[in-house]
Amino acid sequence: MSVAAGVTPSKEEVKRPRPRRPRGVLDQAWPFLSLVGIVVLLTLVLGNASGEIITYLIQALVTMIVTIGLYVFVGNSGVLSLGHAGLMAVGAYVGGIMSIPVIQKSTLLPALPHFLSSTALSLWPAALLAAVVAGVVGYLVSIPISRLSGLGAAVATLALLQISQVVLINWHVLSSDGGATPGVPVDTTTWAAVIGVVIALAIAYLYQRSASGIRLRASREDPVAARSLGINIPRERRRAFTISAAVAGLGGALYAHSVGTVSAADFFIATGFLQLAMLVVGGINSLAGAVSGVLAISLITDFFVQLENGQGVGPLKVNLPNGIETAIVSLLLLLILIKRPAGLTKGQEFRLPKRLGGRGALADAELEASAISSTDVAVATPTDDPGVA
Amino acid sequence: MKTVIQYAIDAISSGGLYALLALGLSMTFGISRIVNLAQSELIMVPAYLIMVTAPWAAPLVILVAIVSGIVLALLMERFAFRPLRGADETTLLVASFAVSLGIQSVVEAAAGDKAKGTDFGGGLNNGIHFLGLTVAKLDVVEIGITLVLLLSLLYFLKRTTLGVQLRAAAIDFDMAELLGVRSQRVIMLAFAISGVAASVTAIVVVAQTGSLTPTLGVQPLLVGVVAVVVGGLESLGGAVVGGFLLGIVSVVLSVTLPQGPLQYQDALLYLIVIIVLLVRPQGLFARGSALERV
Amino acid sequence: MLLEVQDLTVSYGPVRAVRGISLSVDAGEIVTIVGPNGAGKSSTLMTIAGEKCRPAKRGQVQVGGSILLDGERLLGQSADRIVRRGVSIVPEGRRIFATLTVGENLMVARAARRDRGDAEREMRDLIERFPALGTSLHRPAGHLSGGQQQQLAIARALLTKPRLLLLDEPSLGLAPMVVEEVFEIIQELRDSGLAILLLEQNALQAMEIANRSELLRNGRLEEIDSGRDGQKMLAAYFGIEAVKVP
C-alpha cells in the first residue's frame, strides 16, 4: 500500500514497513546544514556588535561545542552523564596549558615536566591535542561507566565529577596554588569558535548516522530487543562516550583560549548543570536540541545577567541580585521537564520541508509510539531517524 | 593526639549524621523513586534561618529550623515532584538537581556567596570531663540528638501502623495503594521526615562549624548519597548502616591518609561509590536491585 | 449487578490493549476471564482496580468507557479510593512486601481501612481460614513458599473488606495441588457472598469453578457458553467445533 507524499501515516500503517523514496543529498544533510546555517547566520548578524555581545557569543558557541559533545553520548544512549564538565576540564587544561608562552610557563607551573613547559602550541594544535587527550580519558572512564544505566550512571558520573574536581584542585602540576592558572593566550575569535561548532556538529552528525549510532539509539529505545539483535551495548556506549569526550575536550580548549585562565571551579557542578539544562530544554534526543537549547538558555541568562549588572536591557532597567539567572534556568528546566519533557525540539532534528524536496517533519506520535514495546506493534524503530533505511 | 575513644566518638557522631541523611534520602527514594539532590538545600536553608534567628532562645531556634525543613520539603514535593509523579528516575534526578541549584542561587542572591558566621551553639564547645576523658559538650549533644532522632524514626517505622504503611509504600508503592494506603499522605510524610533529618543535620553543622555558605549542604548530601548507594537504595535499614559505616570510614581515612589535602579523602569516597555501583549495584545490604545494570 | 463494565477501552498511545469490552459480576458469583497472553486481561483488571488511571502515567494511558460499582463511578478514581469503595485486587505475581513480616503485610491492609473493626476477631477468622499464615506471623513474607504467599496475598486483600475481589492469575507458578487449594478458597469466598472476577490462563480449572466464563482475545470479549462440560469448554476456548479428549 503506497503512501501518498505528505500524508501522515495512519495508525494501521505504522505497523507495516512503508516503502521509502530515495532522497537527495540536500535532504539527508539538511539536519546538519540547517544547524550550521543558524550558527553562521547568528555570527554574521552579531559580528559587528559591541565587545560585550561578542564575548557572550563566543561563550555561547564554546558552550555549544561541549553541549553537542554531551548530546553525542546522552542523546544517543539515553544514559545520563553528570560528569561531562570534567571532560571539558581535561580539554581546557591540556589545551590551555600547552599554549601558555614558554617564558611564563615554567614560573607559573614549576611542577610541569620540562618537555611540556618548553613548548607552546598555537590555538588549533593545542585544541586538537586537547580533544585527543580528552578522548583518551573519556575512553578510560567509559570502561566502567558503559556498564551502568539510569540512576547508577548518573550517580557514578556525578562521583567522577567530584573526583575530577579534587584532582584538578590538588594536582600541583596543573596549578601552582590550587587556584587559577592564567597566561593562556586569548585567541578564540568568533570565527574560531564557529569553526569549532561546525567541527563538533559534523562529528555529532556523522556519528548519529553511523551504524554505531543507530545501534546505540536502538539500545536506548529498547535494551532487551537491542541485545537480542546482537548489539553489544557497553561497546557502543564506550564509542559514543569517547567521541563525546573528545568533542567536549575541544570545547574546553576553546573555552580556555577565550577566557585566558583555567580554573577548576569553572568545570564543576554549576557548569555541568547548565550544559545539561541546555540539552534537556532544547531536546535531549536531538542534535538540533543541543543547538537550540544553548541558544535559548544563553539568551535568557545573558538577558538576566545584563539586568543584574545594572545595565538594563532596552527600556528595562531593573537591578536584579547576582546569581538569579541560575534560578531562572532552574525554573525553566523544571517547567520543561513537567510540561514538555522531550524539549523544545521534541527530540526531532530539523528536516527539509517537503516543498523543497525533502520528507518534511515526521509525525512525532507514530514514531514515539512505535518505540513502545507491545505485542501489537511491529519492530521498534529509533525515535529520530536520520534517513538511513 | 586523640585517643581511640575520641575517634570512636567522632565516628559515631558523624556516622549518626550520615545515617540520618541517608535515611531521609532512602525514604524519599523508596517511595517516589527520587534521588533527592535538593536535600542539600533542606540542610542549607534551615542553617541560614538558624543564623538569622540565633539571638532567640535556643529551643525556639531549633523549632524554627525543623519547621522550616519540613515546610521546604513539602513545598518541593508539591511543586516540583508531584507534577512529575510517574516520570522515570533520571528525569526526577535532573529535576531535583534543578530544584537544588535554583534554591542555592536564590539564597546566594539574597545573602551573597561569601561565608557568613554565627555563634549559635558556641557555648557548647567547652569540654566536659568524665572517665578521665575530655569530650566536647557539642559532641555529646550531637550524638544525643542524632541517636534520639534515629531511634524514634526507627521506632516509628517498625512499631506504628503509619510507619508500616510507609515501609510498605517504600517497597512497592503501587501495591500499597492497591491495599488502600493513602499514597499522597505517605509521600508527604516521607518528605517531611527527610526535612526533619536534614534540618537536624543543619543544627549540628551550624553548631559545629559556625560558618555558612550557600553550598553548605552539598558536601553532607554527597556523603549521604554515598551512604545510600553503599547501603542499598531500597533498604531503609541498609541506608542507616551505610551512614554509620561511612562515619567510621571517614574517621579512619582522616587518620591513615597523609596529612595532605583532606580532599583526596573525598575523592576516595567517590571512588568507593563507583566501585560499589559496578560490583554490587543494589548496595551491600539490600536484596534485589534498585539500580539497573546493562 | 455489583460490577458493571461498559465499553471499556485501554490504550497505550496508539496501541489499543482493550477494545470496548463489557462485562458484569454480581455478588456471590465467580466470573472468569480466560485468554492468551497479551490479550488485555491484566490491563482490564488493573484498570478496574484503579492502577492505570493515575495522572502520573501522564497521558501515556488513555481509558474510556465506564466502570460502575453499585451504580457509582469507579473510573478515574485513585486506587486507594477504589479500595475503600470495596474493590480489592490480588495482582499478578502476588506482590507481597517481601521484607515485611506476614503480620506486617496484613497490618498494611487493615490500617488503611476507615473502620477499625474488631482486630482480634478478624485475625482469628483469618488464621482459621489460612492456617499456614497463623504460624508464620513473624516471619518475613519473602520466606514463605509460593502457595503460602498466594494465601497471604488473598488474606491481605480480604482484610480490606472488599465486596468485589479481583484475582489476576492466582495459579501462576504454583504446584497443581496447591492450585487446587487456592481454588477451593476462591469458591468458599464466592459462597460467602463475595463477587469475584478471576483471570486465569489455567482455563479449564477456572472455567470449572466459574458461574460464567468469558474469553478475551485481541482485546475483545466473548462469552463461552459451555455449562460444565470439559470438552465443550476446550472447544470453545480454541474456537473449534469439538475436541476429543482421550
Side-chain angles (χ1 to χ4, degrees), chain A residues 80 145 148-158, chain B residues 89-90 273 277 291-292:
Chain A
L80 205 57
I145 298 288
L148 297 170
S149 294
L151 269 187
V155 173
T157 48
L158 191 56
Chain B
E89 299 169 339
T90 43
V273 172
L277 281 172
L291 302 172
E292 323 141 41

Side-chain angles (χ1 to χ4, degrees), chain A residues 144-145 148 151-163, chain B residues 25 35 37 219-233 242 246 249 253 265-284 291 293:
Chain A
I145 298 288
L148 297 170
L151 269 187
V155 173
T157 48
L158 191 56
L160 281 173
L161 182 64
Q162 296 284 331
I163 294 177
Chain B
L25 278 172
V35 176
L37 295 180
Q219 245 349 74
L221 167 79
L222 287 166
V223 181
V225 170
V226 175
V228 167
V229 167
V230 163
L233 266 171
L246 267 180
V249 167
L253 282 181
Q265 167 186 327
D266 290 344
L268 207 63
L269 278 178
Y270 299 126
L271 209 57
I272 293 177
V273 172
I274 297 179
I275 294 174
V276 171
L277 281 172
L278 288 173
V279 170
R280 204 181 149 93
Q282 66 271 32
L284 299 175
L291 302 172
R293 264 178 132 197

Side-chain angles (χ1 to χ4, degrees), chain B residues 17-280:
Chain B
L17 271 185
Y18 299 150
L20 261 183
L21 278 180
L23 186 61
L25 278 172
S26 176
M27 201 171 291
T28 45
F29 179 78
I31 289 184
S32 32
R33 315 309 293 182
I34 304 172
V35 176
N36 189 6
L37 295 180
Q39 181 132 353
S40 52
E41 274 49 64
L42 290 177
I43 302 175
M44 185 261 287
V45 169
Y48 268 84
L49 283 176
I50 291 176
M51 178 187 77
V52 162
T53 61
W56 302 359
L60 204 55
V61 175
I62 292 180
L63 190 65
V64 166
I66 295 185
V67 167
S68 67
I70 296 177
V71 167
L72 188 59
L74 290 177
L75 285 175
M76 258 185 224
E77 189 277 321
R78 175 66 189 83
F79 292 109
F81 299 122
R82 202 184 298 186
L84 287 172
R85 254 186 78 183
D88 70 277
E89 299 169 339
T90 43
T91 303
L92 291 168
L93 180 92
V94 173
S96 78
F97 206 9
V99 170
S100 169
L101 279 163
I103 298 180
Q104 267 182 44
S105 56
V106 167
V107 170
E108 190 181 310
D113 62 349
K114 298 284 178 272
K116 301 255 175 125
T118 177
D119 62 352
F120 175 75
L124 292 172
N125 274 324
N126 314 329
I128 49 178
H129 308 272
F130 80 108
L131 294 181
L133 301 162
T134 306
V135 178
K137 249 195 236 168
L138 185 58
D139 282 344
V140 175
V141 170
E142 184 191 315
I143 296 185
I145 294 181
T146 47
L147 283 183
V148 164
L149 190 55
L150 260 178
L151 288 173
S152 3
L153 276 178
L154 290 174
Y155 177 85
F156 165 74
L157 288 174
K158 273 257 156 198
R159 293 300 173 100
T160 64
T161 46
L162 195 53
V164 175
Q165 289 185 4
L166 194 63
R167 278 163 59 211
I171 295 174
D172 187 341
F173 184 80
D174 290 340
M175 189 61 226
E177 224 186 5
L178 289 171
L179 287 172
V181 171
R182 285 168 160 82
S183 44
Q184 195 49 55
R185 286 193 202 172
V186 162
I187 294 176
M188 284 165 53
L189 185 60
F191 269 89
I193 290 178
S194 70
V196 168
S199 52
V200 166
T201 306
I203 295 173
V204 168
V205 167
V206 170
Q208 255 183 351
T209 65
S211 127
L212 296 79
T213 67
T215 50
L216 170 78
V218 175
Q219 245 349 74
L221 167 79
L222 287 166
V223 181
V225 170
V226 175
V228 167
V229 167
V230 163
L233 266 171
E234 300 239 297
S235 159
L236 294 177
V240 170
V241 174
F244 275 107
L245 212 63
L246 267 180
I248 298 174
V249 167
S250 65
V251 165
V252 167
L253 282 181
S254 71
V255 168
T256 56
L257 279 188
Q259 267 309 91
L262 225 55
Q263 300 224 292
Y264 279 122
Q265 167 186 327
D266 290 344
L268 207 63
L269 278 178
Y270 299 126
L271 209 57
I272 293 177
V273 172
I274 297 179
I275 294 174
V276 171
L277 281 172
L278 288 173
V279 170
R280 204 181 149 93

